[in-house]
Amino acid sequence: QVQLVESGGGLVQPGGSLRLSCAASGATFGDYGMSWYRQAPGKERELVASITSAGSTSYADSVKGRFTISRDNAKNTVLLQMNRLKPEDTALYLCNAVYSVSMLKYTYWGLGTQVTVSS
């Protein structure tokens, strides 16, 4: 079983920055693909950024060039550095971990941390 706990959210002005952290426990962290999703009330959950076990990254077009995902396997942590934030970035940000073996896929979610971008 994997437990994920997010932190680092808060209120920030447009153009500002935040760094989100996701701390993982209960698994071999380096074997999991990690992602950040976001979700606002009444909207579908959106994939923001992902990083594979090998360190390859991908981003949604809406955040490319502004957000950076990274991982520190020694600390069992994945980070999301968010720069030049916009009001449309406001959402609950959730950490996700995935492990695939054979025909099975295991997925885990944190409870999320709130990011609000407003003047």
Side-chain angles (χ1 to χ4, degrees):
Q1 186 65 42
V2 175
Q3 290 81 45
L4 305 173
V5 180
E6 302 95 334
S7 62
L11 176 64
V12 65
Q13 293 184 347
S17 298
L18 284 174
R19 187 182 70 176
L20 306 184
S21 297
C22 174
S25 64
T28 304
F29 180 77
D31 292 338
Y32 285 75
M34 304 296 298
S35 298
W36 285 97
Y37 287 73
R38 66 187 182 188
Q39 187 168 26
K43 298 182 180 179
E44 294 185 352
R45 189 170 296 177
E46 175 189 20
L47 176 61
V48 176
S50 296
I51 184 167
T52 70
S53 59
S56 298
T57 60
S58 61
Y59 300 90
D61 288 341
S62 59
V63 307
K64 190 172 297 183
R66 299 188 298 118
F67 291 10
T68 303
I69 188 171
S70 61
R71 65 193 300 161
D72 187 339
N73 292 341
K75 297 181 179 180
N76 286 7
T77 301
V78 61
L79 305 175
L80 185 68
Q81 179 66 47
M82 306 185 296
N83 299 324
R84 293 182 284 123
L85 284 161
K86 305 174 181 179
E88 51 263 45
D89 295 320
T90 296
L92 182 73
Y93 283 72
L94 303 104
C95 183
N96 169 262
V98 173
Y99 177 73
S100 296
V101 57
S102 297
M103 302 299 294
L104 301 176
K105 179 177 290 185
Y106 302 89
T107 184
Y108 306 91
W109 295 93
L111 295 178
T113 185
Q114 179 67 37
V115 172
T116 302
V117 185
S118 176
S119 299

